[in-house]
Amino acid sequence: MAAEKQEVYSNVESMSQKLFEINDFIHDNPETGNQEFKAVELLTKTLEDNGFTVERGVAGLKTAFVATYVHKGGGPTIGFLAEYDALDKLGHGCGHSIIGTAGIGAGIALSKSLGDTPATIIVYGTPAEETTSGKLPMVAAGLFDKLDVALMTHPGDRTTVGSKSLALNLVDFVFEGKASHAAASPEKGISALDGVMMLFNGVEYLREHVRSDTRIHGIVTDGGAAANIVPERAAARFYVRGADRNYLNGVVERVYNVARGAALATGTKVTIKEIKAYDNKVLVESLNNVLLENAKAVGATQILPPPESTGSTDFGSVTFRVPGAELGIAFVPVGTPGHSKDFVAAGTTETGHAALITATKTLAGTGYDLITKPELLKQVKADFKALSASK
Ligand SMILES: [Zn+2]
C-alpha cells in the first residue's frame, strides 16, 4: 500500500479523540431537522481549523454548508456528505452523529495526505434528512454537480454496500365538498370524505397492477369535523414508492388519476399537493466494490449483503446526478431496528466509536483511491454513465 494511504489512516487515528468528542457532543445535544445549529457550528469550525473554506446557509437552508479544500488546483473532486439531525423525542436514533463526524473526519484526513496529486475535497453539511430532506434543495441548486464522486456512511446493523433505496413521492390530497346537516338535509351536502374513501378504494384496485417493488401507503389526515355534518373538507397523505424513478412517475400519475376520478364520481374538488420527491439510489457496482474493499482493509466487522427490503433517502437524489455510494457501517447487532432506543444507546459506546473510526478510514481511503487511480475513477464514471443511459 502506498505510504500516503497509510498516512491517511494515521491522520484519522491521530484525530480520533477529537472525532469522539464531536460525535458525543452532537449525540448528547440532539437537534431536529433545520435546527442543527450547535452541530453545524462545531463541524464547520473543525473544518475551518483544518484549512477548509466554509460557505454556510447554502440552498436557502440555515443549517446546510459546503466546505471546500482545493489542493494544487484541478484534479478530481470528491465529496463527503455529513448528516447531523436527530429524531424528535427520541434523539440520535438513526446514527446521524456518526455520519456527520465521519464525513468531516474523512475530508480532513484525506486533505492532509494528497502529496503532489491535485484534488478538491468538498464536505457537504446536509440537514434535516429525517424531515424536510435538506439534500433536495441542495440538489436543485446544483451544489453536487461539480463532484466526480459523492460518498457517505450510515450506521446500522451491518457493514455493507449497495443498499437499495426507493424513489418516493410524498403527496397530500385535499378534497372539498359542501357542508350540510347529515340527517336533516343530506341531499344539500357533498361529502369530501367520500372522495377520500374512493381514493383509498381506487388505490386498492391499482395495487394489483403495478410492479411488485411498488409501495403505496396512506393515512386520512382529515376526515371531517363531526359525524352529524356532511364533511366539507377531507384529506389524505400518501407515500408512493418504487425501485425506479421512471417507472414510479407512471404509477404516481395513475394514483393522481384515481384521485381525479374519485373527485368526479363524488362531485368534490381535489387538490393534489406534492410535498417532496426522492429519486432511487443509483448503485454503481465498481464504486461499491472499492468502498467495500476499503472497509475490509481497515478491519470492518459484521460484513453482510444489504437487506432486501428498504425505505428511501434523499441521498438517492444525489446519486441520480453524480456517481455516489453509501457505506453501511455496523454499530449494533444484526437485526436491530433503526429509529430505536438501541440505536441511541450505541452512538457513544466503544462499538459506536469503533464504527466511527472504521467508517472515517473507509471513506477517506476510498477517496484516496479515486484521486490517485485515474483508471478507477474512469471506470466508475463510465459505469454511472451506462446506468444513466438505461434510466
Ligand atoms: Zn438515517
Side-chain angles (χ1 to χ4, degrees):
M1 192 194 298
E4 278 170 4
K5 189 163 180 187
Q6 202 56 57
E7 197 182 298
V8 172
Y9 297 154
S10 339
N11 293 342
V12 177
E13 269 152 33
S14 52
M15 280 195 295
S16 58
Q17 275 313 319
K18 178 85 185 153
L19 295 178
F20 297 156
E21 280 167 30
I22 295 171
N23 171 70
D24 294 2
F25 177 84
I26 295 173
H27 181 280
D28 295 341
N29 294 276
E31 299 165 298
T32 53
N34 300 308
Q35 303 299 317
E36 312 98 320
F37 298 106
K38 290 180 195 165
V40 167
E41 195 185 315
L42 183 57
L43 294 170
T44 53
K45 183 175 185 312
T46 310
L47 287 160
E48 277 174 340
D49 289 348
N50 285 280
F52 281 73
T53 305
V54 178
E55 204 188 330
R56 295 173 177 81
V58 295
L61 302 166
K62 281 186 199 140
T63 53
F65 65 86
V66 175
T68 308
Y69 185 96
V70 180
H71 181 73
K72 295 192 179 289
T77 303
I78 305 296
F80 297 104
L81 274 61
E83 294 175 3
Y84 29 74
D85 61 321
L87 292 153
D88 192 23
K89 296 185 179 80
L90 186 61
H92 274 286
C94 201
H96 293 188
S97 62
I98 291 177
I99 303 178
T101 312
I104 69 152
I108 294 168
L110 182 55
S111 73
K112 293 187 188 307
S113 297
L114 291 167
D116 290 332
T117 318
T120 301
I121 315 288
I122 307 182
V123 179
Y124 292 86
T126 67
E129 193 276 333
E130 302 285 1
T131 53
T132 60
S133 311
K135 292 181 198 72
L136 298 181
M138 296 176 78
V139 165
L143 296 180
F144 301 104
D145 294 349
K146 63 187 94 157
L147 290 181
D148 287 297
V149 170
L151 297 170
M152 67 173 287
T153 187
H154 201 301
D157 75 339
R158 66 194 66 197
T159 299
T160 194
V161 296
S163 294
K164 290 180 240 168
S165 89
L166 301 174
L168 165 161
N169 288 60
L170 172 58
V171 188
D172 280 344
F173 298 94
V174 180
F175 287 82
E176 286 166 87
K178 197 164 162 251
S180 183
H181 194 293
S185 51
E187 74 284 357
K188 291 184 181 147
I190 299 170
S191 171
L193 184 59
D194 287 354
V196 166
M197 290 176 76
M198 286 198 73
L199 166 63
F200 273 83
N201 280 308
V203 163
E204 290 313 313
Y205 290 115
L206 174 62
R207 209 182 283 288
E208 186 186 344
H209 305 288
V210 290
R211 259 164 42 176
S212 58
D213 58 82
T214 307
R215 298 280 183 277
I216 313 176
H217 42 105
I219 59 167
V220 177
T221 50
D222 181 1
N228 60 358
I229 307 171
V230 174
E232 69 174 339
R233 185 187 186 278
R237 169 166 282 198
F238 273 84
Y239 285 82
V240 189
R241 311 195 204 213
D244 171 58
R245 166 49 65 196
N246 279 344
Y247 178 75
L248 186 67
N249 284 342
V251 175
V252 168
E253 195 50 39
R254 287 161 78 187
V255 172
Y256 289 180
N257 279 335
V258 169
R260 291 174 189 126
L264 183 65
T266 55
T268 53
K269 212 183 111 201
V270 65
T271 309
I272 300 171
K273 291 184 198 162
E274 189 175 283
I275 307 300
K276 65 179 174 184
Y278 297 167
D279 298 324
N280 53 290
K281 235 196 251 168
V282 176
L283 303 174
V284 183
E285 208 185 329
S286 50
L287 181 57
N288 281 323
N289 288 343
V290 64
L291 195 56
L292 189 61
E293 285 313 311
N294 271 277
K296 286 180 183 164
V298 296
T301 56
Q302 276 170 239
I303 297 177
L304 287 168
E308 254 318 300
S309 77
T310 178
S312 308
T313 165
D314 58 1
F315 186 52
S317 296
V318 178
T319 68
F320 224 72
R321 270 92 191 153
V322 294
E326 182 176 303
L327 170 78
I329 188 78
F331 84 137
V332 287
V334 175
T336 308
H339 291 198
S340 63
K341 285 186 177 152
D342 290 338
F343 265 53
V344 179
T348 53
T349 58
E350 210 170 297
T351 317
H353 285 171
L356 167 60
I357 297 306
T358 305
T360 307
K361 284 182 177 173
T362 304
L363 293 179
T366 303
Y368 180 84
D369 287 350
L370 292 163
I371 289 167
T372 56
K373 296 177 182 165
E375 283 309 307
L376 172 66
L377 183 58
K378 217 170 129 188
Q379 179 71 52
V380 166
K381 295 182 88 160
D383 290 353
F384 175 73
K385 214 172 158 193
L387 288 165
S388 305
S390 68
K391 275 195 306 228

